[in-house]
């Protein structure tokens, strides 16, 4: 199937693009492309679709999920081999574990990045 466009980048608004790019660089192991412009920073592993950008939003209001008044709107899922080890590692680089953990079977855990965006550590189940 051919689409109208080719996927390029997922962009997250945040109060500090450099800080958030460094966080995701450590989480994903992708290098920070450039820190020359503090209003727009990219991490990537070879370009699209493995590319995240962080854009300055001085009035950024993080989501308050699961509160429907300020929904998450977007979140990122990443796969890990060991949830306990990965949890320890993301907490050390600045993540916060969300108080709401909806996984009933223990296959994912919800965290917040330094700007308050939710992301999930997930394990594949066969």
């Amino acid at each position: 199937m051919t689409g109208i466009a080719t996927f390029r980048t997922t962009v997250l608004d945040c109060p500090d693009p450099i800080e958030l790019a460094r966080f995701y660089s450590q989480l994903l192991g992708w290098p920070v492309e450039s820190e020359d412009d503090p209003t727009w920073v990219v991490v990537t592993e070879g370009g699209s679709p493995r590319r995240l950008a962080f854009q300055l939003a001085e009035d950024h209001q993080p989501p308050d999920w699961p509160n429907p008044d300020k929904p998450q709107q977007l979140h990122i899922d990443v796969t890990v081999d060991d949830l306990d080890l990965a949890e320890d590692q993301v907490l050390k680089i600045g993540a916060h574990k969300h108080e709401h953990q909806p996984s009933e079977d223990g296959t994912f855990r919800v965290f917040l990045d330094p700007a308050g965006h939710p992301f999930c550590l997930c394990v594949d189940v066969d």
Side-chain angles (χ1 to χ4, degrees):
M1 180 172 151
T2 303
I4 295 170
T6 301
F7 184 84
R8 179 177 173 149
T9 307
T10 298
V11 181
L12 298 173
D13 284 356
C14 60
D16 187 339
I18 292 172
E19 175 190 35
L20 203 56
R22 289 176 182 164
F23 172 83
Y24 279 98
S25 175
Q26 291 179 64
L27 176 68
L28 299 171
W30 298 354
V32 176
E33 194 170 83
S34 173
E35 295 182 17
D36 296 339
D37 180 355
T39 67
W40 178 266
V41 184
V42 174
V43 297
T44 185
E45 184 181 63
S48 207
R50 292 177 170 231
R51 179 179 152 106
L52 288 174
F54 308 94
Q55 177 175 279
L56 178 63
E58 293 178 2
D59 61 348
H60 174 70
Q61 299 295 312
D64 188 22
W65 176 83
N67 180 350
D69 294 334
K70 288 174 67 179
Q72 65 180 329
Q73 299 178 5
L74 171 126
H75 75 273
I76 295 172
D77 289 348
V78 297
T79 302
V80 299
D81 293 326
D82 182 322
L83 277 174
D84 292 329
L85 176 61
E87 177 174 329
D88 183 54
Q89 292 171 325
V90 299
L91 293 174
K92 285 179 181 173
I93 64 170
H96 301 279
K97 191 169 185 179
H98 199 291
E99 63 185 40
H100 183 66
Q101 295 294 323
S103 177
E104 294 180 8
D105 59 2
T107 58
F108 68 92
R109 295 181 190 161
V110 183
F111 296 84
L112 302 174
D113 70 23
H117 303 105
F119 70 96
C120 296
L121 298 179
C122 307
V123 291
D124 284 335
V125 289
D126 296 327

